[in-house]
Amino acid sequence: MPTLEVYSKDWCPYCAKAKALLKSKGLTYQEIDVTSDETLQQQMIARAGRRTVPQIFLDGVSIGGYDDLANLNATGELDQRLGRTATVDLTKVYDVAIIGAGPAGLSAAIYAVRKNLATIIIAFDLGGQLGTTYEVANYPGFQLVTGPDLVQKFYEHAEQYGIEKLLGEKVITMQVEGRTKVIATASGREIRAKSVIVTTGAQKRKLNIPGEKELAGRGVVYCSTCDGPLFKNLEIAIVGGGNSGLEAAIEMNGTAKRVYLVSRGEWSGDEILQDKVMAAKRVEVLTHHQPLAIHGKERVEGFSLKNLQTGEERRLDVQGVFIEVGLYPNTDFLLDLVETNERGEIKVDRHGQTGVRGLFAAGDATDGHDKQIVIAAGEGASAALAAFEYLVKQV
């Protein structure tokens, strides 16, 4: 039996995602909590060579973080290493396949199965953006709840109905064969369904500059709440002028030795957050600066910028670069099939219907104006009801 170890922290959404993925595959693991144990933190860094959590080991060999685990699973390599085979019946034609397992997807699944539709969820991870949200204070019924806890509530509700699911699967294409939709995943699986609801949400943008990919997890960070404490008394740069960038600067002001807050233009975040950043003593503001490159061999050692007003270039001697530059919709696999707007968001009507019969979409992957958890959940329910109506009218 393979041995799995997971270095994690108390509040780490990517740790929660990793553990949920392993649990969904029926795998057991040893969890090593590094939240307040600096000795274990240093042990993790020494073994993995990274300052981010989670860090996962299979039979003593580093897999990496959550993204690495999910990518191994999506390509089928994880199952190969574990000697496992798929448990989903790939010959079955489902009534509805739901792509994505955030609020919209899980809500759609609950409504679909309650209509007695043969339903399957296909998702790269559980929870989507909600799974990485620190606190939620505007979801009815919960005065204050963490994102992962709310995801767990959604998931437990869906689990009551025994919904089939393929977690850790990345959808790469979809084709329409008559009235059947054929969904292909990166692992080589094909799932067929009479209708499909796309709830793939959005993901964090990257800078796409030299050094970013090479040093991911080695000082390049996409979750300040998860990994910020591991940069205690170090100098860091945060890229982003929206709410997420400002919140990260406020959070790291009490942890890092020095924080450079970098943005290409003026800030777009809430005024109350801007005021807090301006009052933060350890934060140096660098607006109108373009990131050029992240430097380092084994870990981040510097960050190059260009002043867009003067043309001057400079290098910051930082040990971490936190990237908070917004989101883009996960719709690449559909761009040749459905109509999208200039941002790549799927155009839908008020019932979630796309221009393709039997293909629906809901949540942040669509062109809806307001991106809120409660709205995504409602759109998922609406799309499921529309899918049911579509199916009952088919001869």
Side-chain angles (χ1 to χ4, degrees), residues 126-141:
L126 179 64
Q129 293 178 62
L130 179 57
T132 61
T133 301
Y134 181 55
E135 289 182 346
V136 178
N138 59 356
Y139 195 85

Side-chain angles (χ1 to χ4, degrees), residues 189-242:
R189 296 185 174 103
E190 285 190 348
I191 299 92
R192 288 170 167 77
K194 299 172 186 175
S195 66
V196 172
I197 303 174
V198 177
T199 64
T200 44
Q203 63 177 298
K204 290 194 172 185
R205 292 186 183 277
K206 294 179 171 57
L207 297 177
N208 295 317
I209 59 175
E212 179 182 11
K213 182 178 180 180
E214 295 81 357
L215 294 167
R218 302 177 187 274
V220 174
V221 170
Y222 297 94
C223 178
S224 62
T225 302
C226 309
D227 305 320
L230 298 174
F231 291 80
K232 185 177 181 180
N233 295 326
L234 298 178
E235 296 196 6
I236 67 166
I238 297 172
V239 184

Side-chain angles (χ1 to χ4, degrees), residues 86-94 120 166 188-192:
T87 57
V88 170
D89 182 1
L90 299 179
T91 65
K92 182 176 180 179
V93 178
Y94 293 88
I120 185 170
L166 277 174
R189 296 185 174 103
E190 285 190 348
I191 299 92
R192 288 170 167 77

Side-chain angles (χ1 to χ4, degrees), residues 24 46 70 79 88 115 127 172 277 298 346 355 372 374:
S24 76
D79 282 337
V88 170
K115 287 291 187 180
I172 55 173
V277 171
E298 298 299 323
I346 303 167
Q372 297 291 316
V374 68

Side-chain angles (χ1 to χ4, degrees), residues 27 60 134 190 228 281 302 326 350 370:
L27 297 170
Y134 181 55
E190 285 190 348
K281 295 181 179 180
R350 63 191 183 92
D370 297 307

